[in-house]
């Protein structure tokens, strides 16, 4: 398992004093108390990369139905009762934020697979891959690398063009919230000025085009998370963590406890954890909630209705899912009736309408999950 180098916030000079050129342009005309008073629905469902991520080697056709991180994927997800969609934003060398998950574009030239770093492409180069918007124009073929090292063509049932962050704001159903993941290279060391510049470019697009759309920022890069919180107080910021599933050089990424520290030190609003990390350490959930932090999760287990219902019982605030139709229906069937019971009750609190489990009982149920679910 690779140890990954991350630049620590403590290594950055004068970080408590964000340059005025950055902070002033993001505060004009904004409700700076909005993030502080942020509250999410009682249980939130978020579409992963829109309608769901693509796993090209999967035998499940749902993982290859619609091109991930595309306008088509976002608007397809909007047809279901989702609160947000999640997508990945990177800033290219010409300062245009684009939506793409992988660090590299993989393509074929003269029978050889080449990789090109997304952030080193200009806009025209980036958009020339995959389906083209212009009628009759053919784009360059996209490939992906599987976990076992094989290169496969990025083929899905319904393909779509690559897009920019501005495209998403202008072309996606306006009532649908955006969970914008700020993507950074795990192996890169970022200087303060470079991090500030990347975040500035993204924030400029957000503030120009977001209007009333709900926005959440999230990132695995702890310094970027704390910086974007310092640069603006309009939208909530969440710290992403694998919850100990992988070990990184930067210890802040290695556990839910460390994620809590990042959030509390930086004034962040919550944590987004790989669900297996939460199931392995269920005792962390009440600690996170007692710290007035929100907790969302991601991961393959979130495509299993029983695992989603378990998280609702544990007090988790929401899930990022690939099977948006099935899980949004699960939430409707399992969770919303409990809310209706609360509404009809005589002074009952919503908490009392839930099934109540002790920590011991929850721990026992969590031990059963691997036996109940095949994954």
């Amino acid at each position: 398992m690779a140890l990954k180098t991350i630049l620590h916030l403590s290594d950055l000079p004068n970080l408590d004093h964000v340059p005025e050129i950055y902070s002033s342009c993001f505060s004009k005309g904004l409700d700076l108390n909005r993030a502080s008073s942020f509250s999410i629905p009682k249980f939130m469902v978020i579409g992963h990369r829109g309608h769901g991520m693509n796993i090209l080697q999967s035998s499940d056709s749902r993982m290859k139905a619609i091109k991930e991180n595309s306008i088509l994927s976002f608007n397809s997800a909007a047809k279901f009762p989702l609160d947000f969609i999640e997508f990945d934003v990177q800033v290219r060398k010409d300062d245009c934020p684009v939506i793409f998950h992988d660090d590299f574009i993989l393509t074929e030239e003269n029978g050889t697979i080449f990789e090109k770093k997304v952030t080193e492409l200009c806009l025209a180069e980036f958009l020339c891959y995959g389906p083209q918007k212009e009628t009759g124009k053919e784009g360059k073929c996209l490939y992906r690398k599987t976990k076992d090292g094989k290169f496969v063509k990025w083929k899905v049932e319904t393909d779509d063009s690559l897009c920019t962050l501005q495209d998403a704001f202008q072309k996606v159903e306006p009532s649908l919230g955006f969970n914008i993941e700020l993507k950074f290279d795990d192996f890169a060391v970022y200087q303060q000025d470079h991090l500030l510049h990347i975040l500035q470019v993204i924030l400029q697009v957000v503030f120009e085009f977001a209007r009333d759309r709900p926005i959440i920022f999230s990132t695995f890069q702890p310094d970027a998370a704390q910086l974007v919180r310092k640069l603006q107080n309009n939208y909530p910021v969440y710290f992403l963590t694998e919850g100990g599933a992988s070990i990184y050089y930067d210890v802040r990424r290695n556990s839910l406890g460390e994620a809590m520290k990042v959030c509390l030190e930086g004034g962040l609003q919550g944590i987004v954890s790989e669900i297996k990390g939460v199931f392995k350490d269920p005792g962390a959930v009440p600690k996170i909630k007692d710290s007035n932090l929100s907790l969302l999760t991601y991961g393959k287990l979130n495509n299993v209705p029983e695992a989603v219902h378990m998280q609702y019982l544990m007090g988790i605030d929401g899930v990022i899912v690939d099977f948006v139709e099935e899980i949004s229906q699960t939430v409707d069937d399992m969770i919303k009736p409990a809310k209706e019971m609360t509404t009809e009750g005589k002074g009952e609190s919503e908490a009392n309408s839930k099934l109540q489990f002790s920590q011991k009982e929850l721990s026992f149920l969590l031990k059963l999950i691997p036996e109940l679910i095949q994954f």
Side-chain angles (χ1 to χ4, degrees), residues 38 41 44-53 66-89 99 160 163-182 213-218 238 240 272 296-298 319-325 328:
F38 173 71
M44 188 159 57
V45 181
I46 302 171
H48 188 207
R49 304 182 199 172
H51 192 267
M53 70 180 292
I66 303 174
K67 172 67 82 51
E68 69 177 38
N69 276 337
S70 67
I71 300 300
L72 178 61
S73 181
F74 300 155
N75 282 324
S76 296
K79 297 176 182 177
F80 303 99
L82 302 180
D83 302 289
F84 284 76
I85 52 170
E86 179 270 353
F87 54 77
D88 312 275
V89 171
I99 299 177
D160 196 19
C163 65
T164 67
L165 179 59
Q166 181 176 333
D167 289 335
F169 278 115
Q170 294 179 322
K171 299 178 181 180
V172 175
E173 163 60 42
S175 64
L176 188 62
F178 284 176
N179 172 191
I180 300 174
E181 180 183 336
L182 309 169
R213 188 188 299 272
I215 303 291
I216 292 174
F217 290 114
S218 62
Y238 282 60
L240 274 157
V272 184
L296 308 175
T297 67
Y298 72 94
V319 289
I320 299 174
V321 306
D322 296 301
F323 300 161
V324 294
E325 180 176 6
S328 60

Side-chain angles (χ1 to χ4, degrees), residues 4 56 61 67 70 94 99 106 204 221 329 362 375:
K4 302 182 181 181
L56 303 178
S61 61
K67 172 67 82 51
S70 67
D94 55 0
I99 299 177
L106 299 178
Q204 284 177 332
Q221 224 288 355
Q329 185 62 54
L362 271 176
F375 62 92

